Amino acid sequence: QVQLVESGGGLVQPGGSLTISCAVSGRTPDYYAIGWFRQAPGKEREGLSCIRLIDGDTKYADSVKGRFTVSSDYSKNTAYLQMSSLEADDTAVYYCAASEGLWAPRLSREYKSWGQGTQVTVSS
């Protein structure tokens, strides 16, 4: 069983940056990937990005390309989502999830283990 814990959320001003983390523990397949998702109040969950930890291969949703960067530290079983030029519309609960392959973030059903989420609020 895989456990995921997000951290690093908080309040950030519009135009600011924030990096959130996802620490993974438990039995993980060699080629597992971490996906990042978010859900704002009243909106559907949105897939943002994903990374395969063993080789750093990544995918991004078009909506965050150029603003969000996903990275990982394989030795620490940790993934990161660096967010920049944040806007009020980026306010949401951000989740990480694990899958056995590098599935595009829009395919959230392929991600079987989920963290509890971390709140990111963009406001002045």
Side-chain angles (χ1 to χ4, degrees), residues 3 9 12 14-15 23 30 33 35 37 40 43-44 47 59 61-62 68 70 73 80 82 84 87 103 107 109 117:
Q3 295 83 38
V12 60
D30 287 343
F37 306 83
K43 294 186 178 181
E44 292 187 354
K59 295 182 185 292
D62 288 343
F68 290 9
V70 64
D73 186 333
Y80 307 92
Q82 182 179 353
S84 61
E87 307 163 352
W103 297 98
L107 299 176
R109 65 183 180 276

Side-chain angles (χ1 to χ4, degrees), residues 1 9-10 12 16 20 23 25-26 28-29 36 38 41 43-44 55-56 78 86-87 89 98 105 109-110 123:
Q1 189 173 1
V12 60
I20 55 179
S25 60
T28 54
W36 283 101
R38 68 184 179 188
K43 294 186 178 181
E44 292 187 354
D55 60 9
T78 301
L86 286 165
E87 307 163 352
D89 286 347
R109 65 183 180 276
E110 301 297 339
S123 175

Side-chain angles (χ1 to χ4, degrees), residues 22-115:
C22 175
V24 183
S25 60
R27 298 187 65 179
T28 54
D30 287 343
Y31 289 86
Y32 81 103
I34 297 296
W36 283 101
F37 306 83
R38 68 184 179 188
Q39 188 163 20
K43 294 186 178 181
E44 292 187 354
R45 184 170 58 196
E46 177 186 10
L48 305 174
S49 181
C50 57
I51 185 166
R52 185 165 50 210
L53 271 71
I54 198 169
D55 60 9
D57 198 5
T58 60
K59 295 182 185 292
Y60 289 93
D62 288 343
S63 60
V64 299
K65 280 182 180 177
R67 289 199 306 130
F68 290 9
T69 302
V70 64
S71 61
S72 65
D73 186 333
Y74 184 64
S75 66
K76 296 181 179 179
N77 268 354
T78 301
Y80 307 92
L81 185 67
Q82 182 179 353
M83 304 177 287
S84 61
S85 301
L86 286 165
E87 307 163 352
D89 286 347
D90 294 314
T91 295
V93 177
Y94 284 70
Y95 299 90
C96 63
S99 74
E100 292 191 8
L102 189 62
W103 297 98
R106 60 183 172 82
L107 299 176
S108 61
R109 65 183 180 276
E110 301 297 339
Y111 290 80
K112 307 302 184 183
S113 300
W114 290 76

